[in-house]
Amino acid sequence: MTLIETERSEDQAGIRAVHLAAFPTPLEADLVDRLRDNGRAMVSLVAREGDKIAGHVLFSPVTVHDVAGGNDAAISHGLGLAPVAVLPVFQRRGVGAALVEAGLAGCRESATPFVVVLGKPAYYARFGFEPASRYRLDSEYNAGDAFQVLLLQADALPAQGGLVRYGDEFAGLG
C-alpha cells in the first residue's frame, strides 16, 4: 500500500535517488536540491512503499508577469508542479497520480490560487488541468498545450493573462 506524506529531512537521499532513477540526467534531482536549499519547496511529498521512497512530487512558487503592459511586473502568484518522479519499478501503478492528487490537495489547503505544469495534456487533464493558453498565459519554455493551468480559486488569474515565470532554480532546464 502506498503511503503519501510530507517530505522529511531524512528523505533527501531517497528523493534524490528516485529522480536519478526516473530521469535520464541529474537535472531534476539537482533542481529539487536547489529548490529545497533555497526554501522554495512549498509542497514536497513522498510516496512510500514499505520503508522505500517510491516517488516524489514538488510544488514551488511561480509568478505571472504583465509583459504586455511594458513594466514586466508580477501580477499574480501561484505554484508550479515540477518535478514529479516515480521509481521505474513502481511506475504505472498509480503512484504518480496519488502524489499529484495529494499535492494538489495540499495546494488547496494552503489557499494556492492556481497551479501550472508543463507535461502531457492527456495525463494532467484527469486532475483538471487545461491548456494555459485558454487564460492567455504563456511560459518561458514555448511549450504550447503542454503548458497547463489548474485554477484553485475563482478569478485567480489576471484577465489580460501574462508570462508565467518559474524560480531562478529552473534556469538552464528549458
Side-chain angles (χ1 to χ4, degrees):
M1 180 174 159
T2 304
L3 174 67
I4 307 292
E5 58 187 13
T6 301
E7 170 188 341
R8 301 182 299 225
S9 60
E10 60 267 22
D11 295 333
Q12 291 180 13
I15 290 169
R16 185 166 178 82
V18 165
H19 288 281
L20 289 172
F23 293 103
T25 72
L27 289 174
E28 286 81 2
D30 293 345
L31 172 62
V32 169
D33 291 343
R34 285 192 306 272
L35 288 166
R36 184 189 303 114
D37 291 347
N38 292 340
R40 295 178 57 82
M42 307 313 291
V43 176
S44 184
L45 303 175
V46 295
R48 296 186 195 283
E49 292 284 342
D51 61 352
K52 187 171 194 69
I53 295 178
H56 175 252
V57 67
L58 190 141
F59 295 76
S60 63
V62 297
T63 53
V64 179
H65 289 256
D66 181 12
V67 293
N71 60 7
D72 197 22
I75 51 177
S76 188
H77 302 273
L79 293 179
L81 187 173
V84 60
V86 176
L87 284 175
V89 69
F90 294 108
Q91 291 177 1
R92 308 239 186 287
R93 297 185 186 181
V95 174
L99 280 165
V100 171
E101 287 172 355
L104 291 173
C107 292
R108 286 182 182 94
E109 289 171 14
S110 68
T112 299
F114 67 90
V115 176
V116 294
V117 67
L118 200 157
K120 295 181 180 177
Y123 181 79
Y124 287 101
R126 73 175 87 175
F127 306 106
F129 283 91
E130 306 174 78
S133 60
R134 290 185 184 161
Y135 297 92
R136 302 176 63 190
L137 295 177
D138 199 0
S139 77
E140 299 170 289
Y141 303 109
N142 298 317
D145 283 347
F147 184 58
Q148 301 157 78
V149 65
L150 172 64
L151 296 181
L152 300 178
Q153 295 176 8
D155 300 323
L157 296 170
Q160 75 270 30
L163 178 68
V164 177
R165 291 201 173 124
Y166 289 77
D168 292 341
E169 296 85 358
F170 286 81
L173 290 181

